Amino acid sequence: MSEPTPIAPPRRAALAPAAPVHLNAEIVVRARQLIALYPERRSALIPLCHLAQEQDGWLTPEAMVDIAGLVGVTPGEVLGTASFYDMLHTEPVGRHVVAVCTNIACLLGGAAELLEHAEHSLGIGAGGTTADGAITLEEAECLADCDRVPCVQVNHRYVGAQTPESFDQLVADLRSGARDADIPPHGTLIRVRRTTGIEADPVAVAEERRLAAVARSARADAADGAGA
Amino acid sequence: MGDQDAETGGTDAPVDEGVEFTIDGRTVRARKGEMLIAAAERAGTFIPRFCYHPRMEPVGMCRMCLVEVSGPRGATLMPSCFIEAAPGMEIVTDSAKVKKAQDGVLEFLLINHPLDCPVCDKGGECPLQDQTLAYGPGESRFVEEKRHFEKPIPISDLVLLDRERCIQCSRCTRFADEVAGEAQIDFIGRGEQIQIGTFPELPFTSYFSGNTVQICPVGALTATPYRFTARPWDLDQVESTCTTCSVGCRVAVQSSSNRLTRLLGIDIDPVNHGWLCDKGRFAADAVNSEDRLTEPMIRKEGALVAVSWHEALEAVATGLKAAVAERPESVGIIGGARLTNEGAYAWARLAKGVLGTDSVDAQIGDGLPAELVLGLPRATIDQAASASTVVLLTGDVREELPVLFLRLRAAAVDGDVAIVELSPQATSLTAHAEVSLRYGPGDAAALVDALVSGGTPPNAAAEPGALDRARQLMGEGPVVVIVGRPSLAEDGELVADAARKLSAALPEARFLPALRRGNVLGALDMGLAPGVLPGRVALEDGRAWFEEAWGSVPLARGRGTADMLAAAAGDQAEGSAVTALVLLGADPLTDFPDRRLAERALDAADFVVAVVTAPGAALDHADVVLPAAEAHERPGTTTNLEGRVFRLGQKLVPPGQAWPDWMIAGELAVHLGHDLGFDSVGTVWDEIERVAVSHRGITRTVLDAHGAADGVVAPLSLSKVSLARRNAPLDPVAVPGVESVERQGASLQAGLAASPNAAADGPEAADPSDGGPSRPAVLSGPGEFAVPHVAPADGYSVRLVASRVLYDGGAAVASVSTLAGLVAPGALRANPHDLDELGVSSGGQVRLRSATASAVVPVEPDASLPRKVVAADFNVPLGDGTVADLIDRAFPVVDLRMESL
């Protein structure tokens, strides 16, 4: 049994969430717009995790604390949710996350050989990151591009079927920045911002929400009444 | 009430209006909306389960409770914890298909389970172990490597996690989220990688973390203090009530070889629903302390020397006689909230009937006037949780009465209760309050005035409309007011005044006194307060009755703790000094808000007797020390803040020569030349039932019938008492480890206890004492008292709020090593604008000065505080001292100068 690590004593529970300190101002503005889209604040949790990855490339603990304050949950719940999803990284990753599919179609198309080649040429195992922080190699389940096997994604963008040779070229291009135009650094999910609905009038949204809540509770009461 | 009972899983509610369905061919009735698993259990069919817990929302996580349910497509397997009983439904719980499903589920659950039962604390009381034996396949086809983790990892100071034992039932995460409202633990990862965890650097600091250990159906969560200390089959247990605070949670007390091993919460509907706070759960360990006092001691030549009880009591009698010979009022008795009702009654009778002093106070300057508490119409916790509006005029309920916080939070979050908070600072219920109004110390009554008669509140910072909204909510009955002490730095009479005004404006409102100390409400009922006699009777009203019962009662109203200490310190008029002080389990040096006054008083008193369980600062001042028995070492009764009387179970033998308090009082009376006539704790209760008007009819028979479960609310006229025993067995999976608790009391014939005083002031005909004085009336109404005048603050001062935190320097925490480490140093909280004006930033320091004291303390901003109001937590380190150094009881509020360094 290892010695349990000491833990800071509990303090008087914080009664109000702290303002974001880690996320930058632009992202916080964007986060507030996203939160305004949902009837419940916590529904914006996953979009906000993606936003935070846009800033840091991965989901840092500091960002998770900020997100928790923004959507009104505990940091533990943010970690719990984020750790469920493969596209949210709660550990540092490289600037480019290269995912090689090894599901059945790709496997038949040489994915195992490709992955083995990738591991050797990058000098890391699947799940590892190169020492220069450029590349994280991932072994992925089906990436839904089965007509181009073995299928590879970089930062969630398809780069088509790869051979060991084309793979090395791809890595060299990523390192040199030759692919920066079509493959932004990891974390940037999309460069086209959604604008529809984002600029909604907060007062109108609040009123809509209130009415929805009233209707909900009326429905609940009616259901109770019917049940009782 | 039907709905509520269904929600709370009550077993006494009628089921006539329910739905009819069949289990294994038997026709049974379920309540509307009841889950199959619960309905089946009431009908006597136990369906195995892990994740289902009667006090939490079902999730259908573990699939152990699969049963066959008939439907349009034939019988299909469904989780019975997740399906409501419907009319005509046919379910089968014992078919081959169900058995195969159970085999499969258990084989799956055991795939990664280490089967380390021989070294697991849960072994012997483990639902996984028991249900694998009862329902499992008997073997596993899994030959691969199981999951391995570092073990155990601490998720808090009190809870350890062995992840490989976890079966992912989500009971602990649901408790943290749904019940405690602090989801600090959650599932991390997915699929085969899933595990329970906390956020890095943010441990599971909830005050309720121990409950997750209690409801864990495997050995994944264990409590640091209990781990590896006992095996379940060596434990002996008895049902009792926790006396750490005045909520009165029902517990199973477990011990092994006269050593208390742990407390587990028992589910009763009216109070705790099975939950306990960590302080209650783990502070019970104090009885095991090596420091316990085991022998009476007398100060000889400056040092305390162990002596016999006879010599010690003789010394006490001599000292008290000398003081009484001068004036009975020169004896003061402080404390008594630690005592049982019987102990409190015996001491009240000793003080008021034998010594003749009325200067007796179970509240240590941190309470409310006894007449107010006893006279206001009392609410129960259930009434508060089902009220339309709850008005909070108290400190932070989570810090003071944690399980009451759980009930109120649930009422506000899941129920229809609207909370109106009147408080000088944000509390843990602020987030759940409909309206939260701030006031400065001394202004509570003015705020209530503004609320009830439509004036301007003293602190105009309230957002517009808030006042109107609060008025509207308070107009929608039923209203329950929770009244306590928001600040120990202001005179209790000031809050009492606000409560009095609320009571006048809302005559239908009921009040729940949020007094914190264990049996303080029982002590007040038993007359351990100035101006009252046992049975919630005023001194003058009860004079004739108690002269008949006791022989004599004090001539005049005595002093409360603050006045007693001032009189002992020589601050009061010549010839009125208190020269002898008896400390009944109270240590004014740590407990009284004005520490300097307490010190001067104890220094100046000629004769100090300490009736204590463990050493404390007051021992240095004691001339005689009498060792008393602690909770769990003495039988008797206790009374919670609702006035609910519970039987206490005795599980341990007191150490050495420690005696229960009623026995100390009885023997001391003999040494003073009186025989109180008590020969057992039962005879004390018989006398209480006879002479205490509010407790008429609550005989030992009634208590025994109910000692097993819900207790009895005094006075009896308020509640119908059913003598029917609750036969529902304890759910062994809801709380592993308490299925076979020894329930107290003899079984009785079912029936309804006669309520001898149908109304407290009912006809006297039933009174057996012919020709004697008539029974006195129970106090009613908020009482009269002088409200101290609060001068308006000058523009340069800040006004101090001293509020409570759960883990403080009090005896309950200090004597338990696992909790003592949780006491965190405090800081002065101030409005950020006030700090900006001073040019002090968060984490900086300020100097606080009063006319007589000065301290340098760390500060942090708190935007919830009004301007010119500062707050600090009582009895935790603050700078080089505590906030008690800055409080001067001579003034009703504490004004300080706050300066930058």
Side-chain angles (χ1 to χ4, degrees):
Chain A
M1 180 175 114
S2 68
E3 193 64 22
T5 40
I7 281 178
R11 291 171 178 278
R12 195 188 180 91
L15 299 173
V21 291
H22 174 76
L23 297 178
N24 66 41
E26 188 195 335
I27 287 195
V28 171
V29 168
R30 178 100 190 129
R32 296 223 158 97
Q33 288 173 341
L34 284 171
I35 290 167
L37 289 174
Y38 299 92
E40 304 284 344
R41 273 198 296 165
R42 63 188 296 160
S43 306
L45 176 52
I46 291 171
L48 259 56
C49 288
H50 284 299
L51 268 188
Q53 286 204 143
E54 203 169 304
Q55 174 177 319
D56 300 313
W58 63 290
L59 199 52
T60 63
E62 295 80 11
M64 286 193 266
V65 171
D66 279 2
I67 292 168
L70 283 166
V71 302
V73 300
T74 63
E77 283 174 292
V78 179
L79 175 62
T81 305
S83 60
F84 186 92
Y85 294 101
D86 283 344
M87 285 172 73
L88 297 172
H89 292 267
T90 56
E91 303 287 334
V93 291
R95 187 177 155 83
H96 295 105
V97 175
V98 178
V100 178
C101 172
T102 54
N103 213 307
I104 186 73
C106 295
L107 199 64
L108 295 172
E113 292 76 10
L114 178 65
L115 186 63
E116 195 182 347
H117 168 80
E119 287 182 340
H120 279 107
S121 67
L122 292 169
I124 51 174
T129 302
T130 55
D132 62 354
I135 308 285
T136 293
L137 182 65
E138 270 184 356
E139 179 179 357
E141 289 304 327
C142 183
L143 295 172
D145 197 18
C146 310
D147 59 334
R148 293 189 289 170
V149 295
C151 155
V152 174
Q153 274 190 342
V154 178
N155 296 348
H156 309 300
R157 281 139 180 97
Y158 291 118
V159 291
Q162 298 290 327
T163 61
E165 297 70 36
S166 70
F167 184 86
D168 289 343
Q169 184 58 47
L170 173 68
V171 169
D173 290 348
L174 290 172
R175 282 211 160 105
S176 70
R179 300 293 296 268
D180 280 3
D182 63 323
I183 303 178
H186 184 253
T188 304
L189 214 51
I190 188 163
R191 283 175 290 189
V192 181
R193 291 289 190 207
R194 169 184 171 167
T195 50
T196 316
I198 282 280
E199 301 299 338
D201 173 14
V203 178
V205 170
E207 177 61 12
E208 233 172 83
R209 252 183 229 178
R210 197 186 61 77
L211 289 175
V214 168
R216 249 199 325 277
S217 98
R219 274 200 304 280
D221 285 349
D224 279 358
Chain B
M1 287 306 286
D3 278 349
Q4 194 191 337
D5 281 329
E7 257 173 45
T8 54
T11 50
D12 294 336
V15 287
D16 330 331
E17 290 189 13
V19 293
E20 216 172 61
F21 71 107
T22 61
I23 300 176
D24 301 334
R26 284 188 304 133
T27 303
V28 298
R29 298 194 78 90
R31 299 193 188 92
K32 275 220 160 73
E34 195 172 19
M35 295 300 170
L36 288 175
I37 196 169
E41 191 169 349
R42 278 196 305 104
T45 300
F46 182 83
I47 299 172
R49 80 287 299 265
F50 294 108
C51 69
Y52 171 77
H53 190 282
R55 291 291 183 188
M56 297 193 294
E57 291 292 315
V59 283
M61 246 1 224
C62 72
R63 318 310 282 183
M64 190 63 215
C65 66
L66 290 173
V67 294
E68 273 194 273
V69 179
S70 63
R73 287 174 295 174
T76 46
L77 287 171
M78 292 193 190
S80 59
C81 74
F82 215 69
I83 307 287
E84 285 180 14
M89 195 178 247
E90 288 168 26
I91 73 167
V92 178
T93 68
D94 54 3
S95 65
K97 196 168 168 187
V98 171
K99 175 74 188 116
K100 185 159 184 274
Q102 290 170 345
D103 281 356
V105 168
L106 273 168
E107 193 179 352
F108 256 122
L109 289 178
L110 291 173
I111 274 183
N112 273 311
H113 192 78
L115 299 173
D116 58 346
C117 309
V119 295
C120 174
D121 278 300
K122 209 74 168 192
E125 60 180 23
C126 177
L128 182 61
Q129 198 178 36
D130 294 348
Q131 297 189 102
T132 299
L133 189 70
Y135 304 96
E139 58 188 34
S140 172
R141 288 165 287 176
F142 188 76
V143 293
E144 291 80 2
E145 189 70 11
K146 297 186 182 223
R147 296 208 290 176
H148 296 283
F149 289 107
E150 180 195 342
K151 64 176 280 178
I153 55 167
I155 57 171
S156 81
D157 284 273
L158 297 165
V159 181
L160 298 170
L161 170 63
D162 289 279
R163 286 167 291 183
E164 73 286 359
R165 290 180 189 152
C166 176
I167 57 166
Q168 291 88 43
C169 70
S170 84
R171 274 187 173 191
C172 57
T173 57
R174 278 181 291 148
F175 172 84
D177 185 17
E178 284 174 29
V179 182
E182 307 162 282
Q184 296 165 327
I185 47 173
D186 203 351
F187 283 123
I188 312 284
R190 184 185 71 209
E192 55 165 15
Q193 302 294 324
I194 201 164
Q195 53 172 288
I196 295 289
T198 58
F199 194 75
E201 314 299 318
L202 288 179
F204 184 35
T205 55
S206 170
Y207 288 160
F208 306 99
S209 65
N211 292 301
T212 60
V213 176
Q214 172 169 320
I215 60 178
C216 181
V218 296
L221 293 170
T222 45
T224 322
Y226 175 77
R227 195 175 164 91
F228 301 140
T229 59
R231 303 308 322 232
W233 53 85
D234 288 336
L235 296 178
D236 200 21
Q237 57 189 347
V238 70
E239 192 174 326
S240 188
T241 292
C242 174
T243 51
T244 306
C245 78
S246 62
V247 173
C249 301
R250 207 63 183 151
V251 292
V253 183
Q254 303 190 328
S255 74
S256 172
S257 310
N258 203 39
R259 194 176 166 80
L260 185 136
T261 48
R262 65 176 173 179
L263 254 52
L264 293 172
I266 286 183
D267 192 331
I268 61 169
D269 279 337
V271 183
N272 61 319
H273 292 187
W275 312 129
L276 299 179
C277 69
D278 287 354
K279 186 173 177 182
R281 185 183 301 272
F282 298 114
D285 216 23
V287 295
N288 295 331
S289 167
E290 295 295 319
D291 299 334
R292 287 290 299 282
L293 297 175
T294 55
E295 287 169 307
M297 292 187 284
I298 292 184
R299 191 168 297 279
K300 287 181 178 167
E301 292 161 9
L304 287 170
V305 190
V307 294
S308 69
W309 268 104
H310 178 80
E311 193 180 341
L313 290 173
E314 202 53 43
V316 177
T318 311
L320 293 181
K321 265 187 215 160
V324 169
E326 237 167 76
R327 273 174 317 106
E329 289 297 310
S330 61
V331 176
I333 299 182
I334 296 174
R338 175 183 59 72
L339 276 51
T340 57
N341 289 332
E342 288 82 352
Y345 175 80
W347 272 95
R349 183 169 166 195
L350 176 71
K352 300 193 177 185
V354 176
L355 294 169
T357 178
D358 191 49
S359 291
V360 180
D361 199 350
Q363 309 191 70
I364 312 164
D366 59 354
L368 294 166
E371 288 91 339
L372 178 93
V373 174
L374 300 179
L376 287 173
R378 194 81 67 89
T380 62
I381 296 175
D382 274 347
Q383 281 168 343
S386 60
S388 169
T389 304
V390 167
V391 179
L392 296 176
L393 184 63
T394 180
D396 193 330
V397 181
R398 183 163 66 185
E399 306 290 340
E400 301 193 10
L401 304 162
V403 174
L404 179 62
F405 164 80
L406 292 186
R407 294 291 310 271
L408 291 176
R409 181 191 170 275
V413 173
D414 307 328
D416 297 324
V417 174
I419 293 179
V420 174
E421 181 184 61
L422 315 180
S423 162
Q425 56 181 331
T427 73
S428 37
L429 280 171
T430 303
H432 305 295
E434 282 271 316
V435 184
S436 199
L437 296 170
R438 299 273 168 266
Y439 67 88
D443 291 338
L447 176 58
V448 169
D449 266 342
L451 271 175
V452 298
S453 56
T456 337
N459 170 36
E463 56 182 286
L467 217 58
D468 291 332
R469 179 78 183 121
R471 266 185 217 120
Q472 182 198 348
L473 289 170
M474 284 160 65
E476 294 166 4
V479 175
V480 170
V481 182
I482 300 187
V483 55
R485 284 291 295 273
S487 167
L488 301 178
E490 66 177 335
D491 198 312
E493 311 270 334
L494 293 169
V495 190
D497 189 31
R500 192 167 54 85
K501 290 186 157 137
L502 275 172
S503 145
L506 304 166
E508 299 295 313
R510 306 194 76 85
F511 289 76
L512 194 58
L515 299 180
R516 199 185 65 131
R517 298 185 177 277
N519 189 25
V520 65
L521 276 310
L524 296 184
D525 280 355
M526 295 301 115
L528 275 188
V532 296
L533 288 167
R536 304 183 187 170
V537 168
L539 182 62
E540 286 315 314
D541 297 342
R543 180 171 296 282
W545 175 264
F546 279 93
E547 273 173 353
E548 168 91 4
W550 287 358
S552 71
V553 287
L555 295 172
R557 186 191 167 89
R559 296 183 171 99
T561 297
D563 286 343
M564 268 187 260
L565 290 174
D571 293 354
Q572 297 203 345
E574 193 77 13
S576 69
V578 166
T579 54
L581 279 175
V582 180
L583 306 177
L584 276 184
D587 191 341
L589 294 177
T590 54
D591 299 338
F592 187 69
D594 180 349
R595 200 180 54 77
R596 286 169 301 154
L597 173 60
E599 232 166 42
R600 285 193 296 126
L602 290 180
D603 279 343
D606 294 338
F607 186 62
V608 177
V609 181
V611 184
V612 289
T613 58
L619 242 54
D620 298 338
H621 299 267
D623 296 292
V624 184
V625 176
L626 304 177
E630 263 267 35
H632 315 306
E633 292 172 348
R634 46 181 197 188
T637 60
T638 186
T639 305
N640 83 345
L641 43 74
E642 308 165 283
R644 188 180 297 277
V645 182
F646 287 107
R647 283 275 307 265
L648 290 169
Q650 180 186 359
K651 192 71 223 71
L652 309 168
V653 178
Q657 302 180 43
W659 282 1
D661 300 278
W662 67 269
M663 200 186 281
I664 298 175
E667 288 295 313
L668 184 54
V670 170
H671 283 261
L672 287 163
H674 288 72
D675 185 359
L676 301 183
F678 302 145
D679 56 17
S680 71
V681 68
T683 55
V684 186
W685 184 261
D686 291 346
E687 183 169 317
I688 293 171
E689 194 272 328
R690 202 167 60 245
V691 305
V693 186
S694 59
H695 288 55
R696 297 275 303 182
I698 307 179
T699 58
R700 277 198 266 170
T701 317
V702 170
L703 276 179
D704 282 351
H706 272 258
D710 295 354
V712 181
V713 178
L716 203 50
S717 57
L718 289 181
S719 53
K720 274 190 178 175
V721 174
S722 160
L723 290 186
R725 235 163 194 303
R726 302 197 338 149
N727 281 321
L730 291 165
D731 175 353
V733 186
V735 184
V738 287
E739 58 188 301
S740 59
V741 67
E742 174 192 322
R743 312 216 103 175
Q744 296 163 14
S747 59
L748 288 157
Q749 287 174 327
L752 209 65
S755 177
N757 48 341
D761 51 355
E764 299 299 312
D767 199 330
S769 56
D770 315 307
S774 62
R775 258 194 274 135
V778 173
L779 280 163
S780 73
E784 300 275 318
F785 39 83
V787 180
H789 173 69
V790 180
D794 66 45
Y796 306 104
S797 296
V798 291
R799 217 154 244 194
L800 179 67
V801 173
S803 45
R804 291 277 191 189
V805 280
L806 188 65
Y807 301 127
D808 64 9
V813 170
S815 51
V816 181
S817 57
T818 40
L819 294 182
L822 304 184
V823 180
L828 187 80
R829 300 186 292 277
N831 188 290
H833 297 295
D834 289 340
L835 290 180
D836 286 347
E837 266 176 27
L838 277 183
V840 181
S841 56
S842 175
Q845 290 191 316
V846 294
R847 180 181 300 283
L848 289 174
R849 273 195 307 114
S850 72
T852 51
S854 160
V856 174
V857 300
V859 287
E860 57 187 40
D862 181 346
S864 81
L865 285 163
R867 293 294 300 269
K868 301 289 177 192
V869 175
V870 296
D873 296 329
F874 188 72
N875 217 347
V876 297
L878 179 72
D880 293 330
T882 75
V883 73
D885 299 327
L886 296 163
I887 298 174
D888 190 340
R889 254 291 92 101
F891 302 98
V893 292
V894 178
D895 285 336
L896 300 165
R897 293 292 165 89
M898 181 166 70
E899 298 157 356
S900 54
L901 293 179

